[in-house]
């Protein structure tokens, strides 16, 4: 389902139904699928205004919001801007005169209504989206001696932060994402944790864990360029042996705790291509694969990306 706010002939019919002498005093409000858009009747949006769609129509914390923008001016020199709060997200052209921006949501945010401002082609639209709450389970983890309290090195943190911040203009993926390992899922996205009896503030499980056997294949869930290869010997104490794949346009995947790495930085990988094997390196209690999916630097739930195409 999609939610659409657009100026159209139907909008003109709505305005015509208002008492003429009251048009300058009141606001017409259109309510469609949970998204509210209000504007002065006397300043009704003309037929050439921005057309904006937001998916999903009923998002919850952890979801990726897709904002689609249609513009009429094909000669525009800049892409539309999408802003919410104090953050601006890049919009990329996905079809002639159509752009798309991704807005990540996370378990650390508060549910509720957020305003999304879309500007482009000399016009501005404000839309309100209700992001619903979602309950995330709590897990207690006991790390063995030697792994409890392991801290990441500055080098490790720097490399991973640079990787997650990538916003490559080119889109490499196509269609739904695949499963990176054949093992069953043991820990879902968004779990809150106690480590050795101490609650980890501002922490949530930033990905999905697969209980693959040690040495079992880890494959790319979608096409992309390998932008990060890190090893324990280089100081990757927490992530362990790790591979990061840049899928383009602010979407990245990270694969942690590997026993072996089969790719190098700069390689282009196809969906299903072997990139490494399951291990227990870094801050890990046993062999498993951690797959994290990041959108514009924030960890989102990878599961919707496996069952729905994000264009």
């Amino acid at each position: 389902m999609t939610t659409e706010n657009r100026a159209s002939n139907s909008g003109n019919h709505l305005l015509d139904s208002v008492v003429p002498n009251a048009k300058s005093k009141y606001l017409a409000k259109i309510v469609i699928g949970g998204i509210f858009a209000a504007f002065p009747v006397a300043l009704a949006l003309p037929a050439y205004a921005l057309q904006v769609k937001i998916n999903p129509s009923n998002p919850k914390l952890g979801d990726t919001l897709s904002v689609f923008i249609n513009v009429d001016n094909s000669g525009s020199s800049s892409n539309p801007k999408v802003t919410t709060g104090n953050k601006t997200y890049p919009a990329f052209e996905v079809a002639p005169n159509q752009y798309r921006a991704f807005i990540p949501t996370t378990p650390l945010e508060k549910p509720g209504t957020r305003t999304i401002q879309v500007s482009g082609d000399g016009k501005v639209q404000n839309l309100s989206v209700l992001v619903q709450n979602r309950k995330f389970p709590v897990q207690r983890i006991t790390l063995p001696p030697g792994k409890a309290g392991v801290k990441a090195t500055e080098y490790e943190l720097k490399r991973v932060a640079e990787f997650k911040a990538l916003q490559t203009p080119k889109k490499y993926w196509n269609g739904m994402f695949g499963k990176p390992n054949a093992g069953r899922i043991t820990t879902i996205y968004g779990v809150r944790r106690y480590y050795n009896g101490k609650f980890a503030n501002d922490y949530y499980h930033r990905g999905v864990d697969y209980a693959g056997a040690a040495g079992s294949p880890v494959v790319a869930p979608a096409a992309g360029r390998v932008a990060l290869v890190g090893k324990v010997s280089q100081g990757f104490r927490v992530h362990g042996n790790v591979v990061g794949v840049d899928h383009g346009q602010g979407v990245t995947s990270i694969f942690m705790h590997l026993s072996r790495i089969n790719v190098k930085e700069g390689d282009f990988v196809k969906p299903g291509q072997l990139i490494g094997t399951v291990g227990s390196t870094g801050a890990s209690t046993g062999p498993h694969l951690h797959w994290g999916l990041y959108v514009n630097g924030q960890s989102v739930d990878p599961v919707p990306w496996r069952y729905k195409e994000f264009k």
Side-chain angles (χ1 to χ4, degrees):
M1 294 181 63
T2 62
T3 303
E4 184 172 356
N5 178 323
R6 68 172 68 192
S8 65
N9 290 333
S10 62
N12 293 332
H13 295 325
L14 173 64
L15 301 182
D16 290 339
S17 68
V18 179
V19 178
N21 61 11
K23 286 185 180 180
S24 62
K25 298 180 181 179
Y26 297 97
L27 295 179
K29 181 173 285 190
I30 298 176
V31 183
I32 306 176
I35 294 212
F36 303 83
F39 47 87
V41 173
L43 300 175
L45 293 174
Y48 57 82
L50 292 172
Q51 298 179 14
V52 183
K53 297 179 181 179
I54 299 179
N55 289 335
S57 59
N58 297 299
K60 59 185 181 297
L61 293 178
D63 281 345
T64 303
L65 302 183
S66 300
V67 182
F68 290 94
I69 308 129
N70 279 28
V71 298
D72 291 301
N73 183 8
S74 60
S76 177
S77 60
S78 61
N79 293 9
K81 289 177 58 179
V82 176
T83 303
T84 180
N86 59 356
K87 295 183 179 178
T88 298
Y89 297 96
F92 298 96
E93 189 170 17
V94 293
N97 297 345
Q98 185 181 72
Y99 296 81
R100 184 260 302 129
F102 287 137
I103 299 178
T105 68
T106 77
L108 298 184
E109 299 173 21
K110 292 182 179 180
T113 301
R114 63 174 64 191
T115 299
I116 298 174
Q117 183 179 88
V118 179
S119 58
D121 204 14
K123 306 167 190 69
V124 177
Q125 278 204 43
N126 291 307
L127 300 96
S128 294
V129 180
L130 176 62
V131 180
Q132 301 175 1
N133 198 9
R134 175 180 171 186
K135 292 185 178 179
F136 297 96
V138 176
Q139 191 177 62
R140 294 178 181 272
I141 297 291
T142 300
L143 293 173
K147 292 199 174 182
V150 173
K151 294 183 178 180
T153 64
E154 289 187 12
Y155 175 73
E156 177 181 10
L157 292 174
K158 178 177 181 292
R159 288 297 314 280
V160 172
E162 290 173 346
F163 166 72
K164 293 175 181 176
L166 292 173
Q167 292 181 337
T168 305
K170 186 173 179 59
K171 176 178 177 283
Y172 295 125
W173 84 92
N174 185 31
M176 295 181 291
F177 279 46
K179 193 175 181 181
N181 182 260
R184 63 183 177 87
I185 293 177
T186 54
T187 306
I188 64 173
Y189 168 87
V191 171
R192 310 303 300 275
R193 279 180 175 172
Y194 285 84
Y195 282 102
N196 292 8
K198 184 178 180 181
F199 185 71
N201 291 318
D202 299 327
Y203 167 88
Y204 65 95
H205 190 236
R206 289 168 167 81
V208 175
D209 284 352
Y210 292 87
S216 61
V218 175
V219 301
R225 181 180 60 85
V226 177
L228 172 67
V229 169
K231 299 179 180 179
V232 174
S233 60
Q234 297 172 318
F236 282 77
R237 296 175 182 171
V238 172
H239 294 77
N241 296 328
V242 61
V243 169
V245 176
D246 175 17
H247 302 294
Q249 299 188 346
V251 182
T252 58
S253 283
I254 194 164
F255 307 90
M256 296 165 50
H257 312 307
L258 304 176
S259 59
R260 188 174 76 239
I261 295 174
N262 290 70
V263 291
K264 63 182 183 299
E265 290 184 10
D267 285 353
F268 186 86
V269 293
K270 298 178 180 179
Q273 181 175 332
L274 182 70
I275 58 176
T277 57
V278 170
S280 186
T281 55
S284 168
T285 57
H288 74 284
L289 169 68
H290 174 97
W291 171 35
L293 183 67
Y294 287 76
V295 171
N296 290 320
Q298 296 295 318
S299 168
V300 299
D301 192 348
V303 172
W305 288 73
R306 289 200 54 233
Y307 298 99
K308 170 189 171 184
E309 181 179 0
F310 284 76
K311 296 184 178 179

